[in-house]
Amino acid sequence: MATFLYRLGRLAFRRRRLVVMLWVAVLAAIGIGAMSAPGTSSGALSVPGTQSQRAIDLLQKEFPQASADGATARVVFEAPSGQKLTSAANKAEVESLVAKLEKSPQVSGVSDPFSGGLVSKSGSIAYAQVSYKVAEADVSGAAHSVQTDVVAQGEKAGLKVSLGGNAVKDKAASKAAELIGVGVAAVVLVITFGSMIAAGLPLLTAILGVAAAVLSVTLATHFFDLASSSTTLALMLGLAVAIDYALFIVSRYRNEIRDGHEPEEACGRAVGTAGSAVVFAGLTVIVALSGLSVIGIAMLTSMGLASAFAVAVAVVIALTLLPAMLGFAGMRIMKGRMLTRRMKALERGEGESTGVRWARFVTRNPVKVLAVSVVGLALVAIPTMSLKMALNDDSGKPPGSTQRIAYDTLSKGFGPGFNGPLTVVVDARDSDDPKAAAKSAYSMLSKLDDVAAVRPPSFNESGDVALIGAVPKSAATSEATKDLVGEIRGHGTALHQDTGADLMVTGLTAVNIDVSTKLSDALVPYLAIVVGLALVLLLLVFRSIVIPLKAALGFLLSVVSTLGVLVAVFQWGWLKDLFGVDQTGPIVSLLPIVLIGVVFGLAMDYEVFLVSRMREEYVHGAEPTQAVVQGFRHSGRVVTAAAVIMVSVFSGFLLDDEALIKSIGLGLATAVFFDAFVVRMTIVPAVMTLLGHRSWTLPKWLDRVLPNVDVEGEKLRHALEAEQTDPAPEPVLAGVAAGVHAGSDGHGAAHAFTGFHASGDPDTPVPAQQAAGKARGLSRFKQRLARGGEATAPFDSTESEAPARRKLLKNPMRRS
């Protein structure tokens, strides 16, 4: 793996113009194809096999005029203060608006408030139910325009008119979150690298990668029905992981330059080592997101697969386009005009970074640090025991939106249950007396305590399938309504025994309840599949049993703690004013499972990035504790920057007015914070310090069976060592590092540092390929690098390879 990626990195560096042109051509082709794509759908939830879905399928067959899967809207009318809608003037105005709705495109029917008994007891509130022939995603702009005109005309006449239901178009989502995320990422990258060029490359490649992924998802709608949320999640995750992957490779490239390698060689080594970690980190994310397919909900499947594709694109971009861009940047990426005095000292190898000091603190006090971290996360996780889940409805819309006003107005006039009516279907095709079966069902519903109103049964043309409407007394997302649906379905067993008819409950409320139940039941199997596959990948990467198990357990701890935060804020109301939450309620059912899929992938990213460098140091001879410190020396700053970028991107969604988006933003930001800073950078080094060499042990039989993927680049290092044919050393002052050798173009090209690392740690083992050059003089190039100056080298030239190198790259295990 490492040797192949080494060759790929050097090839992309040398053929940078061709690589960039190919990517531009691919983007252009995808963009042209996406322009004619039909676009994503609304992502309406449907769960095949559930009772509510079976009832919808029956209604589509027996009541085609009802458009069981069509969009619906509720137009709510409220009279001016002190007036009633039943007055002559107000009644005439409402009837005029209803007539206008009936003439709207795609409308299959509109219920009249006055003849249908849809006026409140006070006479001040009424509503009209509008049914459309098409699904939510297919409601046309002309139909939405009629809705807007009805609202404007009613308000002009003095009425308060508001709209609810899934046929109502949501307000365009704000792009503030994405803009804030990109802005914070830019600032963090500049602080991390102290260079505009080094900071700009991850952002540029990430934006191009996200563009390719989103356009590809749009293009895929030619062939597949994808939910609109697929593009949103792909955009959010694609941007985050693409910046992370590029950040990791650019950081390794700069380290290789500081170690004295010429740009092309440094790029090959960076892609060969850091690129291997990127590949396996990306694979874990892809596995976690693709695992959403096992749940059996089409919307989640499209979200997971689209996001997994975006991550795959980010990996390919990092391995091909980024090395090409490094070829254009060359040595200019080392220019650091924005470095602080401390950063310049660290560049010269003086002092220790904060990450190293933290690692030394943890390794000196592993038991105390581990105890405090685990107990702290466990305390935060306590509210999870009170977790309640439900799908969101218009009650979660932003205050002041037309959907929220309609919801609150209906609750005021008719009770909260009117926002979640139930549709009861009596399938009496196998009954001897269908009408008697329907009458029994109607009588049963009328006697239930939590039913506010029941509409008499209406039959299909054959007279053997009946439709009954029931309005609960409680809100659609309440536990009481969930219990009511279960009670009605329970009575269906007795009805079947008595009459031979089947009773089914459907409607948006029942569908949401069934989806929530399906998601709850799928949590454990999903966790088992995703964690199991990811454990296999981590076993291959680290060749250790302890580290994958530790990674999975740490992830579970961070997820449970995150759910505790969500319950405390959105369900209990703690700090709700701080986060702008205007009302509490159950956690959205989709959130926990999406949170698990997304955060597991990101958590494994940090695990691979941090621990792979520790393994690299351990394989090269470092003691376990020293390997932990060295891993932080090389990767701690990068992982910290990546986590800060992630937290900032997700926290931007807290600015959204909608409760669902707020909960997603807070959940993802909290999970990344806990997992990166508490689990990966605190618990992981503490556990590895306590276990010592046992962290890296693998049973001999398993060691023989597992393929060696060489993520730490050990085979590559041996191949490069064998390739070196250095001349006899020249006498120089003790402790002085490397010199230069002449490149093919006659310019001085940097060779390998020896005797010290850029980190300045005297305990760091000196690689063998550097020891050979220990007697070389310190060139002007190295002097400038040591001073943090602007050493330059020709970045558009190509160094010719010696025949020995070509042979070794074809056969990396060959020894000269």
Side-chain angles (χ1 to χ4, degrees):
M1 170 70 77
T3 305
F4 168 76
L5 293 178
Y6 170 82
R7 294 201 302 265
L8 178 63
R10 288 181 64 103
L11 177 64
F13 189 98
R14 289 195 304 271
R15 301 287 184 260
R16 46 190 169 273
R17 289 184 177 83
L18 176 62
V19 171
V20 171
M21 287 183 354
L22 286 175
W23 271 108
V24 170
V26 168
L27 274 172
I30 297 173
I32 292 172
M35 290 175 63
S36 59
T40 54
S41 70
S42 62
L45 288 170
S46 63
V47 186
T50 59
Q51 187 184 105
S52 57
Q53 189 62 45
R54 292 199 305 271
I56 289 174
D57 295 339
L58 178 62
L59 289 177
Q60 288 175 340
K61 178 181 177 181
E62 301 295 336
F63 292 86
Q65 73 281 3
S67 301
D69 62 341
T72 59
R74 281 186 170 185
V75 183
V76 183
F77 308 97
E78 185 174 8
S81 180
Q83 298 184 27
K84 292 186 177 182
L85 291 175
T86 51
S87 66
N90 289 335
K91 183 177 180 180
E93 183 61 31
V94 169
E95 289 176 340
S96 172
L97 296 176
V98 170
K100 190 169 186 175
L101 288 168
E102 289 174 342
K103 297 176 182 177
S104 174
Q106 302 176 317
V107 167
S108 62
V110 181
S111 59
D112 183 83
F114 302 104
S115 60
L118 305 179
V119 181
S120 66
K121 293 180 179 179
S122 64
S124 61
I125 296 173
Y127 71 93
Q129 185 81 10
V130 185
S131 301
Y132 290 84
K133 301 175 184 177
V134 295
E136 174 185 346
D138 299 323
V139 177
S140 65
H144 287 306
S145 296
V146 172
Q147 295 173 0
T148 304
D149 293 342
V150 166
V151 173
Q153 181 179 329
E155 291 181 346
K156 188 176 181 180
L159 302 177
K160 295 179 182 178
V161 184
S162 52
L163 306 171
N166 61 1
V168 181
K169 189 174 182 180
D170 284 325
K171 183 181 177 182
S174 171
K175 298 298 180 182
E178 289 87 345
L179 294 176
I180 289 173
V182 172
V184 172
V187 172
V188 172
L189 289 170
V190 169
I191 293 174
T192 301
F193 292 127
S195 164
M196 293 298 293
I197 295 177
L201 285 182
L203 282 177
L204 177 60
T205 55
I207 291 172
L208 292 175
V210 167
V214 171
L215 289 174
S216 298
V217 171
T218 305
L219 179 63
T221 58
H222 276 297
F223 315 101
F224 308 102
D225 184 22
L226 301 178
S228 57
S229 50
S230 303
T231 304
T232 304
L233 191 59
L235 172 64
M236 180 171 64
L237 278 181
L239 182 64
V241 300
I243 292 175
D244 278 5
Y245 297 162
L247 168 64
F248 196 58
I249 291 178
V250 169
S251 177
R252 187 60 180 259
Y253 173 75
R254 283 163 58 91
N255 286 340
E256 296 293 342
I257 289 288
R258 292 192 193 98
D259 283 349
H261 302 294
E262 82 238 26
E264 182 179 328
E265 177 69 12
C267 183
R269 288 173 180 258
V271 176
T273 51
S276 298
V278 165
V279 168
F280 281 95
L283 279 175
T284 56
V285 183
I286 291 169
V287 166
L289 293 171
S290 301
L292 290 172
S293 306
V294 305
I295 298 170
I297 297 178
M299 186 181 77
L300 278 179
T301 299
S302 63
M303 288 171 63
L305 294 180
S307 302
F309 177 76
V311 174
V313 171
V315 172
V316 176
I317 286 273
L319 299 179
T320 56
L321 181 60
L322 180 60
M325 302 301 291
L326 289 174
F328 286 109
M331 289 301 304
R332 288 180 296 184
I333 201 171
M334 301 302 296
K335 294 181 180 180
R337 297 187 178 277
M338 307 181 72
L339 295 175
T340 64
R341 182 179 300 178
R342 175 173 172 75
M343 291 173 66
K344 290 179 181 178
L346 291 174
E347 294 280 350
R348 295 193 300 268
E350 301 172 2
E352 290 185 338
S353 65
T354 303
V356 172
R357 293 201 301 272
W358 172 252
R360 293 193 188 280
F361 170 77
V362 172
T363 54
R364 285 196 300 266
N365 306 279
V367 176
K368 295 178 181 177
V369 168
L370 182 62
V372 171
S373 301
V374 172
V375 171
L377 289 180
L379 290 174
V380 176
I382 289 176
T384 306
M385 293 185 291
S386 301
L387 175 67
K388 294 179 181 179
M389 295 189 295
L391 284 179
N392 59 313
D393 57 11
D394 284 350
S395 64
K397 296 294 183 181
S401 64
T402 185
Q403 295 98 323
R404 180 62 177 275
I405 293 173
Y407 183 94
D408 293 339
T409 304
L410 280 177
S411 297
K412 181 175 67 174
F414 299 92
F418 264 76
N419 287 292
L422 303 175
T423 301
V424 180
V425 180
V426 180
D427 181 5
R429 291 175 295 180
D430 296 331
S431 174
D432 296 332
D433 190 349
K435 293 189 181 300
K439 184 177 180 181
S440 297
Y442 175 80
S443 176
M444 177 269 295
L445 291 171
S446 302
K447 296 176 182 177
L448 296 179
D449 293 336
D450 201 39
V451 173
V454 182
R455 189 177 66 242
S458 56
F459 288 87
N460 61 343
E461 292 183 1
S462 303
D464 53 7
V465 177
L467 198 61
I468 305 174
V471 177
K473 293 180 180 178
S474 306
T477 57
S478 67
E479 284 293 318
T481 300
K482 182 178 179 180
D483 294 340
L484 174 63
V485 171
E487 186 179 0
I488 294 173
R489 287 172 172 172
H491 285 293
T493 304
L495 182 69
H496 180 75
Q497 293 175 349
D498 295 340
T499 65
D502 292 323
L503 183 146
M504 296 177 285
V505 185
T506 188
L508 182 60
T509 300
V511 169
N512 287 351
I513 290 172
D514 287 344
V515 170
S516 296
T517 303
K518 179 87 171 179
L519 290 171
S520 300
D521 295 341
L523 273 176
V524 174
Y526 174 67
L527 269 175
I529 292 173
V530 171
V531 173
L533 291 175
L535 285 177
V536 172
L537 284 175
L538 292 177
L539 184 65
L540 290 174
V541 172
F542 297 121
R543 305 190 69 78
S544 164
I545 293 178
V546 172
I547 289 177
L549 290 175
K550 168 184 58 62
L553 291 174
F555 155 74
L556 292 175
L557 189 58
S558 61
V559 164
V560 174
S561 302
T562 301
L563 290 176
V565 171
L566 291 175
V567 169
V569 174
F570 291 93
Q571 196 171 304
W572 292 359
W574 292 5
L575 301 177
K576 67 175 185 177
D577 293 335
L578 177 64
F579 296 106
V581 179
D582 66 299
Q583 68 175 28
T584 59
I587 303 301
V588 179
S589 302
L590 291 172
L591 183 56
I593 205 155
V594 171
L595 184 73
I596 289 171
V598 173
V599 176
F600 184 82
L602 299 180
M604 295 306 105
D605 271 5
Y606 300 134
E607 181 79 12
V608 172
F609 289 162
L610 193 60
V611 181
S612 64
R613 196 61 192 257
M614 296 178 188
R615 174 170 172 77
E616 184 176 342
E617 296 293 334
Y618 180 78
V619 168
H620 292 171
E623 289 298 316
T625 300
Q626 186 185 19
V628 170
V629 176
Q630 292 302 325
F632 270 82
R633 182 184 304 281
H634 296 294
S635 299
R637 186 180 183 86
V638 178
V639 171
T640 300
V644 170
I645 290 171
M646 288 276 193
V647 171
S648 302
V649 169
F650 296 143
S651 296
F653 290 92
L654 287 169
L655 300 177
D656 198 284
D657 293 329
E658 194 164 339
L660 172 61
I661 305 301
K662 282 181 180 290
S663 62
I664 291 175
L666 179 62
L668 292 176
T670 303
V672 170
F673 177 83
F674 283 158
D675 202 273
F677 295 110
V678 181
V679 175
R680 307 302 153 192
M681 301 188 75
T682 304
I683 294 178
V684 166
V687 172
M688 294 182 69
T689 300
L690 291 173
L691 293 176
H693 289 284
R694 288 170 294 181
S695 297
W696 308 105
T697 56
L698 188 69
K700 292 182 179 180
W701 66 269
L702 189 57
D703 187 36
R704 290 192 297 269
V705 171
L706 290 178
N708 190 352
V709 297
D710 191 30
V711 71
E712 71 280 349
E714 181 68 5
K715 292 180 181 178
L716 173 63
R717 186 174 73 90
H718 288 313
L720 294 176
E721 284 177 0
E723 173 265 339
Q724 286 186 341
T725 54
D726 292 333
E730 301 174 7
V732 292
L733 295 176
V736 179
V740 298
H741 66 88
S744 61
D745 55 1
H747 293 278
H751 201 56
F753 268 114
T754 56
F756 74 91
H757 280 234
S759 61
D761 186 7
D763 297 329
T764 304
V766 180
Q769 73 268 28
Q770 297 176 11
K774 193 165 186 176
R776 295 181 183 164
L778 187 63
S779 68
R780 294 176 183 173
F781 169 69
K782 294 300 170 59
Q783 292 170 355
R784 291 177 183 174
L785 279 181
R787 293 195 303 267
E790 300 174 5
T792 58
F795 57 87
D796 200 31
S797 62
T798 303
E799 181 185 0
S800 61
E801 296 183 291
R805 177 185 291 262
R806 294 196 192 100
K807 293 178 182 178
L808 278 162
L809 291 179
K810 291 179 182 177
N811 182 7
M813 299 308 295
R814 183 184 179 117
R815 295 291 184 271
S816 56

